[in-house]
């Protein structure tokens, strides 16, 4: 009896971690399970509509941002498809793309679309085909901060750019004070943290800075951090941990890290009537303005970082599953299509709603499903 009870407790704890961590695009677990659908009933319900094709082991790697969503998807899928084992490693977008281009994985998760040179390289791995981007899940990149006595902080793009480029060094700087007239800002030194690893989160954050504060952000958006200023830590787990324990710290990471660690987040002055908070609903409003810029079966999106729509949070992230349009390995193709079909389905997308992720707009999701069906 004791052993059975212990096993039950372990199972419950595992389920809570897998779900609650998926509060937003993230790589680490969370301890908030509100709105999640990871009970055995939820998993069974989702699994009931999954079509199981293929068998064996499916290897994939990449984005840490989608790790918790992937955990839940894999759990639901494998509950239905006993003959398929899925092993997704959250190695980061850059590493995931590299492994895919080396032919080591069936697909990769990436928080930014393939670059032209990566598409060209994929053609040598995918005979007769090439790598394509299939958007699968979105969410907000929060700006988390640690500043005692300041519970409501508003910043704009120009101020953020100067903070992360080392041009604004104190929290009571006039530029910050102008945006926070009711706050008692201390003269504490700003400790700006950035990712030390190549990260799609970094690339999306710097795309926002470049698009909205070009004069104050002279760097080309990239997975690798360009400025020489600031301090670094590995992964979203690393930078959020530094913010949590360092007075005066600020960094960027998926919202779930802020939620799980009780880290305060910045509201953005976008030019709308009111500053916008980082929430999944507000991220969805921004993602809804995205345009498909990919060609053929590629569905790469162009986000509108300059949106001034009411309630639209512009620092958003879209994670793609990168797969071959043709030339995929015959022994994993059926299982790959089966799994991707599930996560792009209404069932797969609906489990994201209570977890801080932003499900795909219906029109984009429909095109993703159509393209998955045509993979060969």
């Amino acid at each position: 009896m004791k052993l059975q009870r212990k096993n039950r407790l372990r199972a419950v704890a595992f389920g809570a971690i897998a779900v609650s961590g998926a509060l937003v695009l993230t790589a680490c677990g969370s301890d908030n399970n509100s709105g999640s659908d990871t009970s055995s009933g939820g998993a069974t319900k989702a699994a009931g509509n999954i079509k199981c094709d293929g068998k064996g082991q499916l290897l994939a790697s990449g984005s840490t941002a989608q790790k918790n969503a992937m955990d839940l998807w894999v759990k639901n899928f494998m509950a239905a498809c006993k003959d398929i084992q899925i092993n997704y490693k959250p190695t980061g977008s850059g590493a995931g793309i590299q492994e895919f281009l080396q032919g080591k994985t069936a697909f990769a998760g990436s928080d930014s679309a393939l670059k032209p040179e990566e598409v060209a390289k994929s053609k040598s791995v995918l005979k007769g085909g090439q790598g394509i981007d299939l958007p699968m899940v979105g969410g907000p990149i929060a700006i988390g901060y640690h500043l005692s006595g300041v519970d409501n902080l508003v910043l704009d793009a120009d101020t953020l750019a100067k903070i992360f480029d080392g041009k604004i060094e104190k929290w009571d700087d006039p530029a910050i004070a102008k945006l926070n007239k009711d706050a008692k800002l201390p003269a504490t030194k700003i400790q700006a943290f950035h990712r030390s690893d190549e990260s799609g989160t970094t690339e999306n954050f710097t795309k926002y800075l470049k698009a909205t504060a070009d004069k104050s952000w002279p760097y080309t958006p990239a997975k690798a951090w360009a400025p020489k200023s600031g301090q670094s830590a590995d992964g979203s787990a690393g930078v959020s941990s530094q913010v949590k324990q360092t007075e005066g710290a600020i960094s960027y990471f998926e919202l779930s890290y802020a939620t799980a660690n009780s880290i305060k987040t910045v509201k953005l002055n976008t030019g709308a009537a009111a500053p916008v908070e980082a929430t999944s609903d507000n991220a969805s409003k921004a993602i809804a303005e995205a345009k498909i810029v990919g060609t053929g079966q590629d569905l790469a999106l162009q986000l509108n970082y300059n949106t001034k729509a009411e309630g639209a949070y512009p620092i958003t992230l879209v994670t793609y599953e990168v797969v071959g349009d043709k030339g995929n390995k015959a022994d994993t193709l059926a299982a790959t299509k089966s799994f991707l079909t599930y996560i792009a389905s209404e069932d797969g997308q609906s489990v994201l709603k209570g977890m801080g992720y932003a499900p795909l707009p219906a029109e984009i999701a429909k095109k993703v499903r159509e393209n998955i069906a045509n993979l060969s």
Side-chain angles (χ1 to χ4, degrees):
M1 289 296 292
K2 289 184 178 179
L3 180 59
Q4 291 176 342
R5 184 172 183 271
K6 184 176 181 181
N7 287 337
R8 285 198 300 270
L9 289 173
R10 283 179 176 173
V12 171
F14 174 80
I17 292 173
V19 177
S20 61
L23 291 167
V24 170
L25 289 172
T26 177
C28 276
S30 157
D31 53 6
N32 184 329
N33 61 2
S34 62
S36 56
D37 186 19
T38 58
S39 64
S40 58
T44 302
K45 180 181 178 182
N49 296 320
I50 294 174
K51 183 180 179 182
C52 303
D53 292 324
K55 60 182 179 179
Q57 188 176 51
L58 198 62
L59 300 179
S61 64
S63 167
T64 61
Q66 69 171 0
K67 192 257 181 191
N68 289 305
M70 194 60 73
D71 282 349
L72 181 56
W73 283 331
V74 168
K75 177 185 175 183
N76 285 350
F77 184 82
M78 289 178 60
C81 305
K82 305 296 185 181
D83 293 332
I84 303 174
Q85 289 185 323
I86 299 175
N87 183 0
Y88 180 82
K89 295 182 179 179
T91 55
S93 297
I97 292 296
Q98 184 177 16
E99 287 194 326
F100 177 75
L101 294 178
Q102 292 171 346
K104 295 180 179 179
T105 54
F107 67 91
S110 178
D111 304 327
S112 56
L114 289 168
K115 293 179 170 57
E117 60 268 25
E118 293 171 334
V119 173
K121 188 174 182 180
S122 73
K123 294 179 180 180
S124 65
V125 178
L126 301 160
K127 303 303 180 183
Q130 65 179 48
I132 58 172
D133 304 288
L134 299 177
M136 201 61 69
V137 64
I141 300 173
I143 308 299
Y145 69 98
H146 183 163
L147 195 60
S148 298
V150 180
D151 297 324
N152 185 24
L153 183 67
V154 177
L155 297 174
D156 59 16
D158 190 69
T159 306
L160 278 172
K162 291 175 180 176
I163 287 174
F164 281 94
D165 196 24
K167 300 296 191 298
I168 293 179
E169 300 179 333
K170 297 290 185 68
W171 279 109
D172 62 350
D173 187 275
I176 300 177
K178 184 179 180 180
L179 293 165
N180 298 273
K181 295 179 179 179
D182 296 329
K184 294 182 179 179
L185 298 168
T188 306
K189 179 178 174 59
I190 295 175
Q191 306 283 351
F193 286 90
H194 59 265
R195 292 276 290 267
S196 60
D197 55 318
E198 289 201 1
S199 162
T201 309
T202 294
E203 184 167 14
N204 281 273
F205 177 53
T206 54
K207 280 182 178 178
Y208 162 76
L209 294 178
K210 188 65 176 177
T212 55
D214 182 56
K215 292 182 179 179
S216 297
W217 192 259
Y219 311 100
T220 300
K223 291 184 176 73
W225 187 255
K228 303 300 182 183
S229 59
Q231 304 175 64
S232 65
D234 185 59
S236 291
V239 291
S240 60
S241 176
Q242 290 296 327
V243 171
K244 184 174 178 62
Q245 66 189 21
T246 306
E247 181 66 28
I250 187 170
S251 189
Y252 56 94
F253 37 81
E254 295 78 24
L255 181 59
S256 63
Y257 288 94
T259 305
N261 294 292
S262 300
I263 296 173
K264 292 174 287 190
T265 60
V266 168
K267 293 180 180 178
L268 292 180
N269 181 340
T270 63
V276 184
E277 186 177 358
T279 68
S280 57
D281 284 344
N282 290 346
S284 292
K285 293 175 183 177
I287 293 172
E289 296 186 21
K291 296 180 180 179
I292 296 175
V293 293
T295 58
Q297 287 186 264
D298 188 274
L299 297 177
L301 300 177
Q302 183 179 70
L303 298 170
N304 180 11
Y305 296 109
N306 272 304
T307 180
K308 293 177 174 55
E310 296 302 323
Y313 184 82
I315 315 180
T316 55
L317 183 72
V318 172
T319 298
Y320 300 92
E321 310 312 331
V322 176
V323 67
D325 57 355
K326 299 177 182 178
N328 293 287
K329 293 181 180 178
D331 58 343
T332 57
L333 176 60
T336 299
K337 292 178 68 172
S338 183
F339 179 65
L340 294 181
T341 296
Y342 160 60
I343 67 178
S345 70
E346 290 184 9
D347 283 342
Q349 290 290 302
S350 68
V351 301
L352 302 177
K353 291 181 180 179
M355 305 191 305
Y357 287 96
L360 295 175
E363 183 180 345
I364 294 176
K366 182 175 181 291
K367 292 181 179 179
V368 170
R369 291 192 289 268
E370 291 172 351
N371 285 4
I372 292 171
N374 290 325
L375 298 179
S376 62

PDB file of all heavy atoms in Angstrom, residues 268-285:
ATOM      1  N   LEU A 268       4.378  47.760 -21.137  1.00  0.00           N
ATOM      2  CA  LEU A 268       4.968  48.498 -22.253  1.00  0.00           C
ATOM      3  C   LEU A 268       4.108  49.680 -22.679  1.00  0.00           C
ATOM      4  O   LEU A 268       2.899  49.555 -22.869  1.00  0.00           O
ATOM      5  CB  LEU A 268       5.152  47.571 -23.452  1.00  0.00           C
ATOM      6  CG  LEU A 268       6.190  46.457 -23.337  1.00  0.00           C
ATOM      7  CD1 LEU A 268       6.209  45.654 -24.622  1.00  0.00           C
ATOM      8  CD2 LEU A 268       7.570  47.028 -23.044  1.00  0.00           C
ATOM      9  N   ASN A 269       4.758  50.816 -22.822  1.00  0.00           N
ATOM     10  CA  ASN A 269       4.128  51.982 -23.432  1.00  0.00           C
ATOM     11  C   ASN A 269       4.337  51.842 -24.936  1.00  0.00           C
ATOM     12  O   ASN A 269       5.421  52.084 -25.454  1.00  0.00           O
ATOM     13  CB  ASN A 269       4.765  53.265 -22.907  1.00  0.00           C
ATOM     14  CG  ASN A 269       4.129  54.516 -23.477  1.00  0.00           C
ATOM     15  OD1 ASN A 269       3.479  54.470 -24.519  1.00  0.00           O
ATOM     16  ND2 ASN A 269       4.304  55.633 -22.813  1.00  0.00           N
ATOM     17  N   THR A 270       3.285  51.425 -25.637  1.00  0.00           N
ATOM     18  CA  THR A 270       3.386  51.181 -27.076  1.00  0.00           C
ATOM     19  C   THR A 270       2.845  52.333 -27.912  1.00  0.00           C
ATOM     20  O   THR A 270       2.918  52.299 -29.139  1.00  0.00           O
ATOM     21  CB  THR A 270       2.590  49.918 -27.458  1.00  0.00           C
ATOM     22  OG1 THR A 270       1.202  50.139 -27.174  1.00  0.00           O
ATOM     23  CG2 THR A 270       3.079  48.702 -26.681  1.00  0.00           C
ATOM     24  N   GLY A 271       2.296  53.327 -27.238  1.00  0.00           N
ATOM     25  CA  GLY A 271       1.615  54.396 -27.953  1.00  0.00           C
ATOM     26  C   GLY A 271       0.112  54.215 -27.931  1.00  0.00           C
ATOM     27  O   GLY A 271      -0.631  55.090 -28.398  1.00  0.00           O
ATOM     28  N   ALA A 272      -0.343  53.088 -27.378  1.00  0.00           N
ATOM     29  CA  ALA A 272      -1.777  52.866 -27.202  1.00  0.00           C
ATOM     30  C   ALA A 272      -2.261  53.720 -26.037  1.00  0.00           C
ATOM     31  O   ALA A 272      -1.471  54.368 -25.341  1.00  0.00           O
ATOM     32  CB  ALA A 272      -2.058  51.392 -26.940  1.00  0.00           C
ATOM     33  N   ALA A 273      -3.558  53.724 -25.786  1.00  0.00           N
ATOM     34  CA  ALA A 273      -4.124  54.576 -24.738  1.00  0.00           C
ATOM     35  C   ALA A 273      -3.594  54.232 -23.353  1.00  0.00           C
ATOM     36  O   ALA A 273      -3.460  55.104 -22.495  1.00  0.00           O
ATOM     37  CB  ALA A 273      -5.647  54.462 -24.759  1.00  0.00           C
ATOM     38  N   ALA A 274      -3.273  52.947 -23.133  1.00  0.00           N
ATOM     39  CA  ALA A 274      -2.792  52.514 -21.821  1.00  0.00           C
ATOM     40  C   ALA A 274      -1.619  51.556 -21.994  1.00  0.00           C
ATOM     41  O   ALA A 274      -1.535  50.835 -23.004  1.00  0.00           O
ATOM     42  CB  ALA A 274      -3.919  51.839 -21.041  1.00  0.00           C
ATOM     43  N   PRO A 275      -0.673  51.544 -21.048  1.00  0.00           N
ATOM     44  CA  PRO A 275       0.433  50.581 -21.106  1.00  0.00           C
ATOM     45  C   PRO A 275      -0.101  49.151 -21.158  1.00  0.00           C
ATOM     46  O   PRO A 275      -1.140  48.838 -20.570  1.00  0.00           O
ATOM     47  CB  PRO A 275       1.207  50.852 -19.813  1.00  0.00           C
ATOM     48  CG  PRO A 275       0.864  52.265 -19.463  1.00  0.00           C
ATOM     49  CD  PRO A 275      -0.565  52.434 -19.879  1.00  0.00           C
ATOM     50  N   VAL A 276       0.634  48.283 -21.840  1.00  0.00           N
ATOM     51  CA  VAL A 276       0.158  46.919 -22.086  1.00  0.00           C
ATOM     52  C   VAL A 276       0.959  45.917 -21.267  1.00  0.00           C
ATOM     53  O   VAL A 276       2.192  45.917 -21.277  1.00  0.00           O
ATOM     54  CB  VAL A 276       0.264  46.567 -23.577  1.00  0.00           C
ATOM     55  CG1 VAL A 276      -0.324  45.180 -23.832  1.00  0.00           C
ATOM     56  CG2 VAL A 276      -0.454  47.610 -24.427  1.00  0.00           C
ATOM     57  N   GLU A 277       0.231  45.045 -20.581  1.00  0.00           N
ATOM     58  CA  GLU A 277       0.846  44.017 -19.751  1.00  0.00           C
ATOM     59  C   GLU A 277       1.161  42.783 -20.580  1.00  0.00           C
ATOM     60  O   GLU A 277       0.498  42.485 -21.575  1.00  0.00           O
ATOM     61  CB  GLU A 277      -0.117  43.652 -18.619  1.00  0.00           C
ATOM     62  CG  GLU A 277       0.446  42.693 -17.600  1.00  0.00           C
ATOM     63  CD  GLU A 277      -0.526  42.436 -16.464  1.00  0.00           C
ATOM     64  OE1 GLU A 277      -1.623  43.043 -16.462  1.00  0.00           O
ATOM     65  OE2 GLU A 277      -0.200  41.620 -15.587  1.00  0.00           O
ATOM     66  N   ALA A 278       2.184  42.047 -20.162  1.00  0.00           N
ATOM     67  CA  ALA A 278       2.542  40.796 -20.834  1.00  0.00           C
ATOM     68  C   ALA A 278       1.606  39.687 -20.384  1.00  0.00           C
ATOM     69  O   ALA A 278       1.723  39.169 -19.278  1.00  0.00           O
ATOM     70  CB  ALA A 278       3.982  40.419 -20.528  1.00  0.00           C
ATOM     71  N   THR A 279       0.641  39.331 -21.228  1.00  0.00           N
ATOM     72  CA  THR A 279      -0.261  38.215 -20.970  1.00  0.00           C
ATOM     73  C   THR A 279      -0.443  37.447 -22.272  1.00  0.00           C
ATOM     74  O   THR A 279      -0.171  37.974 -23.357  1.00  0.00           O
ATOM     75  CB  THR A 279      -1.648  38.673 -20.476  1.00  0.00           C
ATOM     76  OG1 THR A 279      -2.315  39.354 -21.545  1.00  0.00           O
ATOM     77  CG2 THR A 279      -1.541  39.610 -19.271  1.00  0.00           C
ATOM     78  N   SER A 280      -0.908  36.218 -22.173  1.00  0.00           N
ATOM     79  CA  SER A 280      -1.114  35.428 -23.389  1.00  0.00           C
ATOM     80  C   SER A 280      -2.206  36.035 -24.259  1.00  0.00           C
ATOM     81  O   SER A 280      -2.098  36.043 -25.488  1.00  0.00           O
ATOM     82  CB  SER A 280      -1.457  33.980 -23.032  1.00  0.00           C
ATOM     83  OG  SER A 280      -2.598  33.920 -22.204  1.00  0.00           O
ATOM     84  N   ASP A 281      -3.262  36.557 -23.639  1.00  0.00           N
ATOM     85  CA  ASP A 281      -4.329  37.187 -24.420  1.00  0.00           C
ATOM     86  C   ASP A 281      -3.812  38.406 -25.174  1.00  0.00           C
ATOM     87  O   ASP A 281      -4.154  38.625 -26.348  1.00  0.00           O
ATOM     88  CB  ASP A 281      -5.482  37.604 -23.508  1.00  0.00           C
ATOM     89  CG  ASP A 281      -6.332  36.421 -23.071  1.00  0.00           C
ATOM     90  OD1 ASP A 281      -6.222  35.348 -23.709  1.00  0.00           O
ATOM     91  OD2 ASP A 281      -7.086  36.559 -22.097  1.00  0.00           O
ATOM     92  N   ASN A 282      -2.986  39.217 -24.500  1.00  0.00           N
ATOM     93  CA  ASN A 282      -2.448  40.405 -25.151  1.00  0.00           C
ATOM     94  C   ASN A 282      -1.457  40.043 -26.250  1.00  0.00           C
ATOM     95  O   ASN A 282      -1.354  40.741 -27.271  1.00  0.00           O
ATOM     96  CB  ASN A 282      -1.792  41.319 -24.112  1.00  0.00           C
ATOM     97  CG  ASN A 282      -2.810  41.966 -23.194  1.00  0.00           C
ATOM     98  OD1 ASN A 282      -4.004  41.951 -23.473  1.00  0.00           O
ATOM     99  ND2 ASN A 282      -2.346  42.529 -22.091  1.00  0.00           N
ATOM    100  N   ALA A 283      -0.725  38.930 -26.051  1.00  0.00           N
ATOM    101  CA  ALA A 283       0.177  38.462 -27.105  1.00  0.00           C
ATOM    102  C   ALA A 283      -0.622  37.987 -28.311  1.00  0.00           C
ATOM    103  O   ALA A 283      -0.232  38.214 -29.462  1.00  0.00           O
ATOM    104  CB  ALA A 283       1.065  37.340 -26.576  1.00  0.00           C
ATOM    105  N   SER A 284      -1.748  37.328 -28.063  1.00  0.00           N
ATOM    106  CA  SER A 284      -2.592  36.845 -29.159  1.00  0.00           C
ATOM    107  C   SER A 284      -3.080  37.993 -30.024  1.00  0.00           C
ATOM    108  O   SER A 284      -3.187  37.864 -31.253  1.00  0.00           O
ATOM    109  CB  SER A 284      -3.794  36.075 -28.599  1.00  0.00           C
ATOM    110  OG  SER A 284      -3.386  34.868 -28.001  1.00  0.00           O
ATOM    111  N   LYS A 285      -3.385  39.128 -29.388  1.00  0.00           N
ATOM    112  CA  LYS A 285      -3.851  40.291 -30.148  1.00  0.00           C
ATOM    113  C   LYS A 285      -2.772  40.781 -31.107  1.00  0.00           C
ATOM    114  O   LYS A 285      -3.063  41.251 -32.213  1.00  0.00           O
ATOM    115  CB  LYS A 285      -4.262  41.409 -29.191  1.00  0.00           C
ATOM    116  CG  LYS A 285      -5.498  41.083 -28.365  1.00  0.00           C
ATOM    117  CD  LYS A 285      -5.792  42.183 -27.349  1.00  0.00           C
ATOM    118  CE  LYS A 285      -6.979  41.817 -26.469  1.00  0.00           C
ATOM    119  NZ  LYS A 285      -7.241  42.831 -25.424  1.00  0.00           N
TER     120      LYS A 285
END
